[in-house]
């Protein structure tokens, strides 16, 4: 099999993503010195992917890299398909850069000096927006202004939220528009250190963590009694870096309250942060999750002031997981079910080896469906569901628990932020777990229980993917394959710049 040379791979990786995605007709938004990709999946619309030249980073899934990997992750291409696409000789408009030039550009951008935007002579727009549009208590706004971490900038009248270190030195800043019809506009000030977030430092041992500064101040407004003694931190999105730095600088913190949004992104990030903190020595008693009644704390504040709030949204994968567990339990509660009767008879005749043989048989069917009729997704669903059921029964035998209790063990340990990957990768994972089970089938007790648990969990997660992200991933890949690249990037950039300049000068 012919392989791509190192030079070819480097050339493919040097393709400018901003230009390439524009030619593909993807929706890009200019944010400061980089672009944000606007895309949809089963959890809704997202703007979590930042793009600069040939580099990208997905803040939601915490993965990034160069152009080849982007095509693999976003469009579901394999490595060879991605390289072949990027080296297409029929697309001369794609910009290629020498590796040395890329490195120099990156170094230049990563070492920009940081300076705060110039302050406006007054803060009327800031106070009007935060108190009237967002219903934040005026005394609380005054407190943050007095602290020097909140002010109105001169050029455009945007609000500036300043992140500081333990000595009060500014390390980062973000700007937010005060224009009511452009309240979603937000930009990170060039040169900001992402290890520092907008925060209030109190003398107490409790820390409350938020996605955004407005949520932080909204929470304080909702729970305002003696609030100054506590510690509050905005991580300005979905990165845990500001939290880790804050805890390193403030060893007196003994209780961490994760107050992220009640939506899919907030749910995933909260789980991730909790596990990170547990790995760093904090206990479950020290790490707590606080949920707003609605989508976030400002929506809750809006509701208390008579406005219609954006509702909370459960993560679709968690919702499907719960339904899958319920379905498996329901199937096994019906002794007259023909499948249950067949399964039980086969076990009585062949013993536990029947379970492994049937699991392997179902996997072969799935691989055959994927290879020969990949669109027959119902057959794949049925196969992974049977693998999950058979694996749970193996667990029941080794763990001395009921079917329902065993499923609860699996469900309790499900981590939605780790549930990633396209269908092909999930089936590869399933095959690997089944191979491990097959090699150690002679074992018993806890060891076999854990092996069967890995197979069951992987099968259930494959089913979840099919019911959530599969359709949108297939649509994206289908559109990728049928849509010719268009020379639209220049117009797209001009349009984006025009919109940005308009909102900045309002």
């Amino acid at each position: 099999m012919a392989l791509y040379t190192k030079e070819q791979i480097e050339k493919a990786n040097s393709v400018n993503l901003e230009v390439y995605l524009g030619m593909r007709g993807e929706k890009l938004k200019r944010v400061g010195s980089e672009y944000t990709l606007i895309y949809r999946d089963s959890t809704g619309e997202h703007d979590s992917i930042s793009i600069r030249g040939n580099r990208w980073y997905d803040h939601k899934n915490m993965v990034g890299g160069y152009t080849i990997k982007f095509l693999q992750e976003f469009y579901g291409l394999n490595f060879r398909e991605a390289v072949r696409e990027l080296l297409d000789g029929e697309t001369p408009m794609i910009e290629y850069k020498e590796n040395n030039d890329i490195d120099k550009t990156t170094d230049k951008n990563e070492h920009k000096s940081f300076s705060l935007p110039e302050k406006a002579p007054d803060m009327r727009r800031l106070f009007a927006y935060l108190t009237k549009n967002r219903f934040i208590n005026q005394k609380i706004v005054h407190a943050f202004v007095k602290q020097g971490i909140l002010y109105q900038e001169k050029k455009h009248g945007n609000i500036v939220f300043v992140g500081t270190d333990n000595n009060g030195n500014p390390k980062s800043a973000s700007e937010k528009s005060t224009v009511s019809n452009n309240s979603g506009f937000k930009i990170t000030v060039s040169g900001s250190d992402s290890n520092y977030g907008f925060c209030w430092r109190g003398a107490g041992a409790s820390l409350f963590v938020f996605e955004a500064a407005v949520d932080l101040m909204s929470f304080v407004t909702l729970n305002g009694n003696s609030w100054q003694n506590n510690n509050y931190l905005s991580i300005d999105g979905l990165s845990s870096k500001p939290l880790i730095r804050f805890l390193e600088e403030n060893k007196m913190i003994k209780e961490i309250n994760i107050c992220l949004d009640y939506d899919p992104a907030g749910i995933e990030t909260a789980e991730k942060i909790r596990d990170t903190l547990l790995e760093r020595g904090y206990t479950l008693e020290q790490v707590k999750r606080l949920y707003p009644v609605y989508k976030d704390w400002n929506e809750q504040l809006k509701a208390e002031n008579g406005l219609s709030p954006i509702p909370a949204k459960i993560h679709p994968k968690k919702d499907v997981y719960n339904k899958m567990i319920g379905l498996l339990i329901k199937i096994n509660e019906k002794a007259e079910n023909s499948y249950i009767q067949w399964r039980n008879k086969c076990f009585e005749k062949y013993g536990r080896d029947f379970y492994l043989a049937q699991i392997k048989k179902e996997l072969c069917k799935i691989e055959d469906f994927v290879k020969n009729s990949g669109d027959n997704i119902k057959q794949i669903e049925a196969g992974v569901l049977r693998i999950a059921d058979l694996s749970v029964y193996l667990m029941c035998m080794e763990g001395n628990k009921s079917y329902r209790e065993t499923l609860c063990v699996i469900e309790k340990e499900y981590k939605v932020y780790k549930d990633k990957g396209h269908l092909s990768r999930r089936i590869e994972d399933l095959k690997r777990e089944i191979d491990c089970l097959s090699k150690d089938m002679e074992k018993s007790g806890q060891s076999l229980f854990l092996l069967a648990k890995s197979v069951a969990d992987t099968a259930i997660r494959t089913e979840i993917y099919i019911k959530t992200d599969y359709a949108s991933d297939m649509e994206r890949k289908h559109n990728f394959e049928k849509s010719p690249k268009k020379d639209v990037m220049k117009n797209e950039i001009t349009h984006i710049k025009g919109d940005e300049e308009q909102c900045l000068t309002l």
Side-chain angles (χ1 to χ4, degrees), residues 368-381 423 470 474:
D368 186 58
F369 283 131
V370 171
K371 182 179 179 180
N372 300 315
S373 54
D375 58 341
N376 197 348
I377 201 65
K378 291 295 182 183
Q379 297 293 338
I380 299 174
E381 280 191 85
L423 182 62
Y470 176 78
M474 289 301 100

Side-chain angles (χ1 to χ4, degrees), residues 26-29 36-40 45-47 49:
E26 301 291 355
K27 187 177 179 181
L28 294 166
K29 179 181 179 182
T36 294
L37 175 66
I38 311 298
Y39 69 99
R40 295 190 65 85
E45 186 172 276
H46 303 285
D47 59 355
I49 299 179

